[in-house]
Amino acid sequence: MSNTSDKLTLIVEFSDGLDTLIKGELLKKVDGRQQATLTLASEHSGRPTSIRDLVEYIRDNCIKRNPELFYMENGVRPGILVLINDVDWELTDDGVDKYDQKLENNDNVIFISTLHGG
């Protein structure tokens, strides 16, 4: 039997048009931002849950249309900025691949599209 320590609750925000790709029933507006509260297992394949696991979860369970606008070639589409607890995942210098960064309970992950038509 599982308990709450077996789960991670994450606050995930989708900005600048990415919210239109996400199933509406998952989103709620908080302070003008579109957020989803997602619950994932705390481990995947015997290792702590990572940003890779979250991205794959979103791809498989949250996207309602055009998944290629969010995900391609085993990761987030180029042009999408990812912040983990308000820090750009590209700026972490801990020797770990950005997709393997471990997620903690109550982490805030923001996906921001930097691509705009014009």
Side-chain angles (χ1 to χ4, degrees):
M1 177 157 60
S2 67
N3 59 47
T4 54
S5 65
D6 296 333
K7 303 284 182 190
L8 292 179
T9 299
L10 305 169
I11 304 300
V12 183
E13 298 181 25
F14 302 92
S15 298
D16 295 315
L18 290 176
D19 56 307
T20 63
L21 304 177
I22 305 301
K23 295 176 182 173
E25 65 271 15
L26 298 175
L27 295 172
K28 65 180 178 182
K29 198 168 203 169
V30 177
D31 295 328
R33 297 174 154 182
Q34 293 290 348
Q35 293 182 346
T37 301
L38 302 178
T39 303
L40 282 72
S42 61
E43 290 188 353
H44 285 83
S45 302
R47 60 174 172 66
T49 296
S50 67
I51 190 73
R52 179 184 319 278
D53 300 310
L54 174 61
V55 168
E56 290 173 354
Y57 180 88
I58 291 169
R59 178 199 64 201
D60 296 342
N61 299 287
C62 303
I63 303 272
K64 66 180 174 186
R65 63 181 177 86
N66 301 100
E68 71 280 0
L69 296 178
F70 177 77
Y71 186 91
M72 65 184 284
E73 298 179 21
N74 300 318
V76 177
R77 181 182 180 89
I80 295 178
L81 176 65
V82 180
L83 304 176
I84 304 170
N85 298 321
D86 296 321
V87 177
D88 185 337
W89 71 338
E90 298 280 356
L91 299 178
T92 60
D93 189 18
D94 54 9
V96 175
D97 180 282
K98 62 186 176 185
Y99 284 101
D100 293 329
Q101 293 180 53
K102 180 182 168 187
L103 293 172
E104 302 284 344
N105 197 42
N106 296 317
D107 274 353
N108 183 273
V109 181
I110 304 172
F111 296 94
I112 303 169
S113 175
T114 62
L115 303 174
H116 300 280

